[in-house]
Amino acid sequence: MDNKVKVNENVRSAGTAVRAGFVTALTALTLLVASPSALALYRDDGDDPGTGLSVAETLGLYVVAPIALFAIITALVMVGDKSSRPSGQIGGRQEPNQG
């Protein structure tokens, strides 16, 4: 009797997963069909795409700039964090002795 209950629960979760996958696929398909200009298969009148980015510009924009921004924000947080409390304190409390 206990095995039948387990099987029924597994069948229900499988059905839920299939339903969720179907809804996700249907939503993606609807969005693709509704936006043909995003596929860029043909040019429209008035399109002026401009020149593309070089490899160095692409790497600088999408790799170097985010890493540099992350490093700058991290450094500012660390400097602000160290200057606001005396040494030996963590989060406004005195750090317990470790020895």
Side-chain angles (χ1 to χ4, degrees):
M1 198 57 115
D2 203 22
N3 288 337
K4 282 189 177 184
V5 172
K6 243 183 201 179
V7 170
N8 286 340
E9 288 175 7
N10 289 340
V11 168
R12 272 192 225 121
S13 17
T16 303
V18 168
R19 213 171 13 253
F22 178 75
V23 168
T24 303
L26 187 64
T27 302
L29 182 64
T30 304
L31 290 173
L32 282 174
V33 168
S35 59
S37 61
L39 299 175
L41 297 176
Y42 57 89
R43 299 284 306 266
D44 286 333
D45 291 337
D47 277 353
D48 189 16
T51 59
L53 296 175
S54 70
V55 173
E57 290 171 333
T58 303
L59 289 175
L61 184 63
Y62 294 109
V63 176
V64 175
I67 291 173
L69 188 61
F70 176 79
I72 290 169
I73 292 172
T74 302
L76 290 173
V77 168
M78 289 174 67
V79 166
D81 190 41
K82 287 184 179 181
S83 65
S84 66
R85 62 185 130 111
S87 65
Q89 285 190 347
I90 297 176
R93 298 173 302 185
Q94 184 68 29
E95 184 178 357
N97 285 336
Q98 300 294 326

